[in-house]
Amino acid sequence: MLHSDDTYRHYLRQLPEFCDFTEEEFTKLTHDLSVKTYPKGQVLFDHGDPRQSFYYVIKGVVRLERQDETGNFSFINYVKAIKGFPYRGLYTDEDFPYTATALTAITIASVPMASFEAIVSLNPLVTRQVIRQMSQLLDRMENRLQRLVTSSATARVIQALSIFGTDMGEKAPEGDVLIPYPITLIELARLSGTTRETAGQVVNKLEAAGKLTYNKKRFRFEPNDLSI
């Protein structure tokens, strides 16, 4: 569903990834702004498609996924609301490096990638912000690979839950982490490289141990206490 773009310009202007643009830069950047709503499962673009747009998630979660040449290993990342993508390949790549799919129903804004790259390069404050975003993404990816490279299926499921907390979690008043989006056991198995049955067994054991709750497909846990 297509939205009236003017209703979102003021909203975006207040957010960290847009507030450092000058008025003239922001006007140019959002001249061709498009805001749309998509259902869960909608593919925004496929790996190898021309890299024509920069996206910003207003509501929901997007899954970014890329398989290796053998098809046996998947790189998976999640982009929640109030985050932009893709930062990978800025100024270098002509194609998207992964497939983007709506993990939940989403509302998403997009601007032409050429405009985003051109305007970012003119504003040192925004350039520094983009570099910080890219640095944070690299750190997260390195940590993720280290945590998921293990032969123990149970350990991979627990690490995948921790990744959900990092990528999508919100701090609850009690101090634990709530994933406010419906996440299936299939998605947990996908990230951890296990079967749905194995993922479900680990979740059941964590629930029995009082380490986690899984209600209406929403996880809640203490991130430093996920162990069996």
Side-chain angles (χ1 to χ4, degrees), residues 2-218:
L2 183 66
H3 294 272
S4 173
D5 301 334
D6 286 339
T7 61
Y8 286 95
R9 283 188 170 88
H10 178 73
Y11 170 74
L12 292 173
R13 188 73 174 104
Q14 314 307 311
L15 300 178
E17 290 184 65
F18 296 94
C19 65
D20 286 331
F21 289 105
T22 66
E23 286 298 329
E24 181 181 2
E25 289 167 348
F26 185 75
T27 298
K28 289 180 179 179
L29 179 66
T30 59
H31 180 269
D32 294 312
L33 175 71
S34 176
V35 181
K36 296 181 181 179
T37 294
Y38 295 105
K40 175 182 176 180
Q42 175 71 47
V43 175
L44 299 178
F45 54 79
D46 282 311
H47 176 207
D49 284 350
R51 197 166 152 280
Q52 296 178 336
S53 299
F54 181 84
Y55 294 90
Y56 195 83
V57 183
I58 295 173
K59 183 178 180 180
V61 181
V62 173
R63 181 206 300 121
L64 306 180
E65 183 173 15
R66 175 177 178 169
Q67 290 190 329
D68 68 0
E69 294 180 356
T70 68
N72 296 322
F73 176 79
S74 292
F75 158 85
I76 298 177
N77 192 22
Y78 301 96
V79 185
K80 67 177 181 179
I82 321 302
K83 295 289 183 181
F85 71 97
Y87 285 102
R88 177 177 173 177
L90 284 178
Y91 304 104
T92 59
D93 293 355
E94 296 183 357
D95 302 324
F96 286 118
Y98 30 59
T99 297
T101 307
L103 183 67
T104 66
I106 59 172
T107 299
I108 196 159
S110 64
V111 295
M113 182 62 77
S115 298
F116 181 78
E117 290 180 334
I119 295 171
V120 164
S121 67
L122 298 175
N123 187 317
L125 289 176
V126 180
T127 300
R128 283 198 292 270
Q129 182 189 124
V130 167
I131 292 172
R132 283 197 301 269
Q133 291 279 2
M134 296 175 75
S135 178
Q136 291 170 6
L137 286 171
L138 283 172
D139 286 344
R140 283 166 54 193
M141 291 307 101
E142 288 178 1
N143 292 334
R144 181 163 307 184
L145 288 172
Q146 291 172 351
R147 290 156 64 183
L148 288 176
V149 177
T150 171
S151 59
S152 168
T154 296
R156 293 202 305 273
V157 172
I158 290 174
Q159 293 302 330
L161 286 167
S162 180
I163 289 169
F164 284 162
T166 300
D167 285 6
M168 297 180 273
E170 295 179 355
K171 202 76 169 179
E174 297 79 6
D176 52 357
V177 169
L178 169 68
I179 312 299
Y181 310 100
I183 305 296
T184 65
L185 292 176
I186 292 175
E187 188 65 27
L188 178 60
R190 187 175 194 162
L191 178 59
S192 58
T194 63
T195 64
R196 182 193 181 282
E197 289 72 21
T198 297
Q201 289 170 5
V202 175
V203 168
N204 288 338
K205 289 179 181 178
L206 288 167
E207 284 192 291
K211 304 294 183 68
L212 172 149
T213 61
Y214 185 50
N215 184 33
K216 296 182 179 179
K217 299 182 180 180
R218 286 169 171 81

